[in-house]
Amino acid sequence: MMDHIDRQIVSILQKNARTPLKVIAEKAYLSSPAVSARIERLEKAGIIKGYAAQVNVEQLGYHILAFINLEVQPRQKNQFYPFIESCPNVLECSCVTGQFSMLIKVAFKSTMELDQFIGRLQDYGRTSTQIVFSTPVGPRGIRVLEEEEAHGGKEAHGGKEG
């Protein structure tokens, strides 16, 4: 179970995983070793799954970002999962409800490459593709702090008022 200090640490790390322990410690009113121990516990518990740099794929030449819906039959999933895992242009693949069973986020350098990939996907089922024009809200962490905690209310300081 996470307490408000754990939630504060997770919130800070979601915004910037490279935040120095000293800075986290100051914000959480703990020592650096205590913060380090809490982070290690959160990692072991699977709450913090890892750390990754957010990369601007467009700056790397991947100008086509798309979401592909794919209708995969349950009997095909054993073959589909290894295939999709091996595709380097696949950023995410999720099983979803609705008319299609998979939602796949991809990045490609050209529409020709995207078209070739969709052709390979169609071996597994029907597709529907949306190409992204813009992303007004990009990837971000989940809200783990209550409003009062996020703004330094009494909960953020152990439940006591100043």
Side-chain angles (χ1 to χ4, degrees):
M1 178 98 177
M2 289 186 8
D3 64 14
H4 72 278
I5 294 173
D6 289 338
R7 289 192 304 271
Q8 188 175 23
I9 291 168
V10 169
S11 180
I12 292 166
L13 290 174
Q14 283 187 118
K15 290 176 186 151
N16 182 358
R18 295 185 67 182
T19 303
L21 282 178
K22 181 180 177 185
V23 172
I24 298 170
E26 289 171 2
K27 291 181 179 186
Y29 301 100
L30 294 174
S31 67
S32 292
V35 169
S36 180
R38 280 178 177 260
I39 291 172
E40 186 176 334
R41 183 176 46 80
L42 291 165
E43 291 169 346
K44 285 181 180 175
I47 293 167
I48 296 175
K49 294 177 12 179
Y51 304 88
Q54 289 185 8
V55 177
N56 183 333
V57 294
E58 196 171 294
Q59 292 285 340
L60 297 174
Y62 294 86
H63 299 283
I64 307 299
L65 184 64
F67 289 92
I68 304 168
N69 291 290
L70 174 65
E71 186 178 44
V72 175
Q73 296 304 315
R75 67 186 182 330
Q76 293 179 294
K77 287 183 178 181
N78 287 341
Q79 294 135 352
F80 173 73
Y81 289 154
F83 163 75
I84 203 70
E85 178 71 31
S86 72
C87 298
N89 296 78
V90 172
L91 304 177
E92 288 182 45
C93 178
S94 301
C95 292
V96 296
T97 61
Q99 188 176 7
F100 295 91
S101 55
M102 298 290 161
L103 178 61
I104 307 162
K105 182 178 180 182
V106 298
F108 284 94
K109 292 185 175 188
S110 70
T111 54
M112 286 182 10
E113 289 178 1
L114 173 62
D115 184 44
Q116 290 171 353
F117 178 71
I118 291 169
R120 291 172 57 203
L121 281 180
Q122 289 172 339
D123 289 343
Y124 295 96
R126 187 170 59 93
T127 63
S128 174
T129 303
Q130 296 82 41
I131 293 177
V132 174
F133 288 142
S134 65
T135 304
V137 178
R140 60 182 178 186
I142 191 75
R143 186 170 141 191
V144 292
L145 288 175
E146 299 301 321
E147 282 299 314
E148 193 170 306
E149 291 176 308
H151 294 98
K154 65 181 179 180
E155 286 296 311
H157 304 301
K160 297 180 182 175
E161 292 189 19

